[in-house]
Amino acid sequence: MSLHGWNTILVLGGIRSGKSEFAEELVGDAGNVRYVATAAAPGADDPEWIARIETHRQRRPENWTIEETSADPARLIEVISAAGPADTLLVDDLGGWVTVLLDPAHQPADDVATIAELAAAVAACAARLVLVSSEVGLSMVPLTPVGRAFADALGSANRALADACDAVVLVVAGQPAWLKPTQPAQAAQAGQVAPPAQPVEEAPATPAPVEPRPAVLTPSVPPAEPSSQAPAASEISTPAAPDAGWAAPTMSLPVVATGLVIQPAMELPMPAEAAGADALDRLTTLDLPGAGLGNLAEVVSFAAATQGTPAPEPWRSVRVMLLHGDHSGGAAAGTVPGESTRRADLARSGEGPLARLAAEAGATLQVIDAPTAAPIEAGPALVDTAIDAALRFGWQLAEDAVEAGVRVIVLGACGAGSETASAAVLAATAGAEPAAVLARVLAPGGLVDDTAWMVRCATVRDALHRTRRGTRTAKEVLAELGGGDIAIATGILLGATARRTPVLLDGPVGVAAALISRDLAGQARHWCLLADHGGHPTVRHAADVLGLTPLFDLRLDLGEGATALATLPLLRSALALAATLPVHPALAPTTEPESDGWQPEPADDEPAGPTDARPDDNRADVDRADVDRADKNRADDSEFIEPEPAGPGPAAADRPEATGEAAGNGGRAASDVPAGGTTAPHGA
């Protein structure tokens, strides 16, 4: 079930509305599904009910297992509570469960308490769970007491389960309408019903002016890995599906569609360098009053190469991907506990510098939680399997963004200790000295913490010493030093490269991911643009290694991703000018020939004349072909005639051959004449 971020879903609908078929489509991609049948077995005297059940059975795949709960209403609660993360349950439907619950054989019973127990089991369910139920709130009140009791009990159950489930969808005439939340998202794989999108944070309606907020998209939190430290409970803001997020299989990816994995030396597309060069040439012809766009010309060239046209369009749809993954141990020395989580929560709520700038730029903001990395001075940050999953997850995030219409990705991070991990990656891949690339540690208020800086230096030194005998391949560096956030960032770069989408780097995590991506796909760095180095030594050194020249030297330190957003309006302005300005009138093409130096076209049987005339030379021009013919008609005793040089020479009128002085020159060829104004006599 490819439902990114949604673990439990309640599917409502009327009779013959298509709710069961819709629910079955939601779990269609799951390998093994436990179909929980709640209705009592039909009697032999009810052929119509037998036919209904047989229709359901024929529609289900053969590998699905059947679980009957009609004997005891508590059995459904037990099945849901006992389901594990690898299980997929489809309960069809709650109307049968309520019927059994109201059966006189199970009375006296506390119906409200039983429904509350079911809702609690659904809320705590670790499996993927789809519940089907009939919507009775739109029908008339039943005429019989039993009918009214059934409608009341099922209505109460639907309401309680709707609160407990992640998503609720109402199927009317075969058409799904998402009730919780209210906006559907794009399906993860082709042919599947689209799951609901993440809710968009909206500013409250108040009489006072409201600050703009970006559309915030928050994917599910990845689960903990066996050899990595799991995120703390305070860091988890959304329930995690075991196969959703970065641990989910990504069979839609091009590199894994045939069973392969993300591996070194992948062949990904390159930008069109010719289009970038043509764009620079085109800029020189635009109707600009000054000398041009300066450093912003590189933005136009970069956009032209990535779009494959010399007249690139301005970046309209932008997505900011904020990676939140902490690094434990000495890498996080000097950081305030919980500060990274606070920053991520601010971004989720549409507040903080990154969210404010994203709102001003009209960009969407996606907060991506990564697993906490173990201390790199003591052992690997993550296990190898976690790195593979993180790379695929990052690739899938880029795929989803492009499918949603995003044309440029801004990469940022806010994890504690991420700067130290990035410096360790730089030291391992480029041989940098840790003390030279680790930035000073600033405490709140701008105070410099030299002790924390020394701890970070020692951490990187110990980590490099621990891994000195390793091969230090891309995945090994990620597992030993990088951690989940840098691995996901690397996957985003690779996925964006595969989809020909540019990425704006900003901060140590982005450049560290670009360094790692060189071994996996060297084309990835050509799709990266660095707006400003922010004065960070890791970014400056890595940019030199990658061959990325920062466009600006603003030295803004607003947090990873915020500096790129601050410069985005200026980058868009350059692209808008390049796309809309016309050619300068003086450089416009004309169809009339120029009068100065123009000569008629020679006849077909006549050699072409000289194409350029020197206005300062009043001497008669001699046809080059005539000179050649004169050279060939010289004395027969010349055994060798040296070819005439390609460069400019003296006027033909001054040559001895043209004035009848060939004998005085001792039979020298025209090329032997000194390149002066006139020819000196032989032997002078």
Side-chain angles (χ1 to χ4, degrees):
M1 178 172 56
S2 297
L3 302 174
H4 297 313
W6 308 106
N7 201 39
T8 55
I9 293 183
L10 175 62
V11 180
L12 299 172
I15 299 175
R16 297 295 187 184
S17 63
K19 60 182 182 298
S20 295
E21 292 91 332
F22 179 84
E24 292 167 2
E25 290 178 0
L26 288 179
V27 297
D29 66 331
N32 295 317
V33 177
R34 295 177 63 188
Y35 187 93
V36 183
T38 60
D45 57 345
D46 194 347
E48 191 273 336
W49 187 251
I50 296 176
R52 282 175 176 260
I53 294 180
E54 184 62 26
T55 300
H56 280 255
R57 288 176 177 173
Q58 294 179 357
R59 197 170 57 225
R60 295 192 295 263
E62 296 180 356
N63 61 334
W64 287 13
T65 59
I66 308 300
E67 183 81 25
E68 299 283 351
T69 62
S70 59
D72 184 6
R75 177 58 183 162
L76 177 61
I77 301 176
E78 295 175 358
V79 171
I80 294 176
S81 301
D87 295 330
T88 300
L89 302 182
L90 173 57
V91 179
D92 193 3
D93 69 359
L94 292 179
W97 180 77
V98 170
T99 300
V100 177
L101 181 67
L102 298 178
D103 192 313
H106 300 95
Q107 300 300 324
D110 190 345
D111 301 340
V112 176
T114 307
I115 292 174
E117 292 175 2
L118 178 61
V122 170
C125 182
R128 299 175 298 175
L129 175 62
V130 176
L131 301 164
V132 181
S133 183
S134 298
E135 174 52 53
V136 294
L138 301 179
S139 61
M140 296 183 298
V141 177
L143 299 178
T144 63
V146 175
R148 288 192 293 270
F150 173 81
D152 291 343
L154 185 56
S156 300
N158 290 343
R159 183 172 179 178
L161 294 177
D163 292 337
C165 287
D166 299 329
V168 180
V169 59
L170 174 64
V171 180
V172 180
Q175 305 301 313
W178 293 95
L179 306 180
K180 178 187 177 182
T182 57
Q183 294 183 354
Q186 187 169 358
Q189 299 181 6
Q192 292 182 339
V193 181
Q198 298 288 351
V200 178
E201 295 287 343
E202 297 182 355
T206 58
V210 178
E211 292 289 342
R213 297 189 179 186
V216 180
L217 308 174
T218 307
S220 61
V221 179
E225 289 296 324
S227 299
S228 64
Q229 293 186 1
S234 60
E235 299 180 63
I236 301 178
S237 57
T238 55
D243 68 341
W246 68 282
T250 52
M251 296 306 295
S252 62
L253 301 184
V255 295
V256 296
T258 58
L260 300 178
V261 296
I262 298 177
Q263 56 190 354
M266 292 186 298
E267 290 294 335
L268 298 182
M270 280 282 291
E273 295 183 2
D278 293 342
L280 292 178
D281 294 339
R282 181 177 174 274
L283 284 179
T284 61
T285 66
L286 298 183
D287 190 9
L288 290 170
L293 297 177
N295 288 349
L296 292 178
E298 295 299 326
V299 179
V300 179
S301 175
F302 175 78
T306 55
Q307 296 180 23
T309 173
E313 298 180 356
W315 294 323
R316 301 298 182 190
S317 179
V318 181
R319 175 165 296 180
V320 183
M321 293 187 177
L322 180 65
L323 297 169
H324 171 223
D326 290 341
H327 298 257
S328 55
T335 58
V336 179
E339 177 67 12
S340 65
T341 302
R342 188 180 71 86
R343 292 291 181 186
D345 291 341
L346 281 176
R348 289 190 182 97
S349 62
E351 300 177 355
L354 186 67
R356 298 293 178 88
L357 290 172
E360 292 292 337
T364 57
L365 175 59
Q366 190 171 25
V367 183
I368 304 160
D369 286 306
T372 302
I376 59 176
E377 65 270 27
L382 286 178
V383 295
D384 294 338
T385 55
I387 293 300
D388 287 331
L391 288 171
R392 289 195 185 96
F393 179 47
W395 188 307
Q396 187 65 64
L397 289 173
E399 288 264 340
D400 294 342
V402 175
E403 292 296 334
V406 173
R407 292 298 172 260
V408 63
I409 296 173
V410 177
L411 200 56
C414 65
S418 60
E419 294 184 3
T420 308
S422 301
V425 170
L426 175 59
T429 57
E433 180 64 30
V437 296
L438 275 169
R440 305 176 73 179
V441 180
L442 298 179
L447 299 178
V448 178
D449 191 344
D450 290 332
T451 303
W453 178 84
M454 289 187 288
V455 172
R456 295 187 182 187
C457 289
T459 299
V460 176
R461 177 202 62 196
D462 294 344
L464 294 176
H465 181 76
R466 180 180 57 81
T467 60
R468 68 191 184 279
R469 300 187 185 277
T471 57
R472 290 186 176 176
T473 60
K475 291 185 178 181
E476 183 179 350
V477 171
L478 287 175
E480 296 289 344
L481 307 173
D485 53 349
I486 299 180
I488 294 175
T490 304
I492 292 174
L493 290 182
L494 297 175
T497 300
R499 297 302 300 269
R500 301 178 181 272
T501 303
V503 178
L504 297 185
L505 301 181
D506 184 12
V509 170
V511 295
L515 289 170
I516 294 295
S517 67
R518 292 184 306 167
D519 293 338
L520 298 173
Q523 303 85 359
R525 69 179 183 89
H526 296 281
W527 296 87
C528 298
L529 183 68
L530 182 61
D532 189 8
H533 55 69
H536 200 289
T538 300
V539 179
R540 299 180 69 169
H541 193 108
D544 291 339
V545 175
L546 294 168
L548 300 176
T549 302
L551 298 176
F552 310 109
D553 190 11
L554 303 176
R555 297 181 180 272
L556 293 177
D557 193 10
L558 305 176
E560 291 197 39
T563 299
L565 284 177
T567 61
L568 184 59
L570 190 58
L571 305 182
R572 281 175 164 173
S573 298
L575 294 176
L577 288 175
T580 57
L581 284 180
V583 177
H584 195 282
L587 301 176
T590 177
T591 58
E592 297 183 1
E594 298 181 1
S595 58
D596 186 14
W598 178 81
Q599 296 182 4
E601 292 290 336
D604 294 338
D605 57 346
E606 294 181 3
T611 57
D612 57 343
R614 294 185 296 177
D616 59 333
D617 194 349
N618 296 324
R619 293 171 295 184
D621 291 333
V622 179
D623 196 329
R624 177 65 60 192
D626 294 336
V627 176
D628 294 339
R629 283 194 296 270
D631 292 338
K632 292 180 181 180
N633 293 331
R634 288 184 300 173
D636 295 336
D637 56 350
S638 300
E639 296 181 358
F640 173 76
I641 298 178
E642 186 175 348
E644 202 167 12
D654 296 333
R655 296 185 182 182
E657 296 89 332
T659 58
E661 298 177 4
N665 286 333
R668 289 184 300 165
S671 60
D672 295 331
V673 180
T678 59
T679 305
H682 179 61

